[in-house]
Amino acid sequence: MPQTPSSRAVAIARQGEVMREFMARAVLFQEAVARSGGLNGSDLQAVGLLLSEGPATPGELAARTGLTAGGAVTAMIDRLERAGFVTRTRDESDRRRVIVTAVPETLMNRVGPVYARVSQRWNEYLETLTDEQIEFANEFLDRAARLNREQVDILRESSRA
């Protein structure tokens, strides 16, 4: 007689399904946001990384995004600079180095209203949760983000081998 899975096993399996759906929808959402602002998804992620992690050389930006240094990252920076999302300046301490910096005002003007709408809806939902539930959600999402980052690093390393 087959065993019925425990409610915990069912919940864990369901969590895997929910996470896959969430990640797919997050990628599609980011792509739609990018398109609404006249970008592609990779370009939006690059600007986001420059905002969250700070200015970078083209090589550093290539490493952050997983693009190949050289042609691909240069073409992306060219597009972003033409559209006003980034600036390129010479490093004051080493004039041979170029520093790419995000222009937050351009990003906010182009895609800020979309994020503001989503943030408002999300905040309305968060108001229905207890402090403990919010802390749990923060921990859960932070851990998921760290796991994803680790796996991206592993996948990038294995593709170089």
Side-chain angles (χ1 to χ4, degrees):
M1 170 180 222
Q3 271 192 321
T4 305
S6 70
S7 60
R8 180 177 175 82
V10 170
I12 289 171
R14 174 76 179 124
Q15 196 288 315
E17 295 166 7
V18 169
M19 183 59 86
R20 281 189 295 282
E21 177 74 10
F22 171 77
M23 290 174 67
R25 296 294 172 189
V27 169
L28 294 172
F29 171 73
Q30 289 294 72
E31 189 65 36
V33 170
R35 297 262 180 245
S36 78
L39 297 170
N40 65 48
S42 296
D43 290 0
L44 178 62
Q45 295 308 314
V47 175
L49 289 170
L50 288 169
L51 284 173
S52 65
E53 297 180 16
T57 65
E60 292 165 347
L61 187 56
R64 289 179 191 176
T65 60
L67 292 173
T68 55
V73 77
T74 299
M76 179 187 68
I77 294 168
D78 289 345
R79 285 190 305 275
L80 291 171
E81 187 176 42
R82 276 192 306 273
F85 285 94
V86 302
T87 60
R88 271 189 268 221
T89 56
R90 293 278 171 200
D91 185 333
E92 292 300 318
S93 61
D94 181 352
R95 303 288 296 159
R96 295 169 296 177
R97 285 175 27 121
V98 171
I99 303 296
V100 182
T101 304
V103 179
E105 299 80 16
T106 302
L107 187 65
M108 292 314 296
N109 288 338
R110 294 278 191 80
V111 299
V114 175
Y115 286 122
R117 227 178 19 249
V118 170
S119 180
Q120 179 183 350
R121 295 276 311 275
W122 192 241
N123 286 334
E124 288 168 7
Y125 172 68
L126 291 175
E127 285 299 320
T128 70
L129 302 178
T130 66
D131 291 350
E132 293 79 18
Q133 288 172 315
I134 293 169
E135 281 302 317
F136 171 78
N138 289 341
E139 166 65 24
F140 180 84
L141 292 171
D142 179 61
R143 190 168 296 219
R146 282 187 280 139
L147 177 70
N148 285 351
R149 185 179 192 141
E150 290 169 7
Q151 292 305 307
V152 166
D153 291 344
I154 289 168
L155 289 167
R156 286 180 180 167
E157 283 299 317
S158 67
S159 69
R160 289 185 202 131

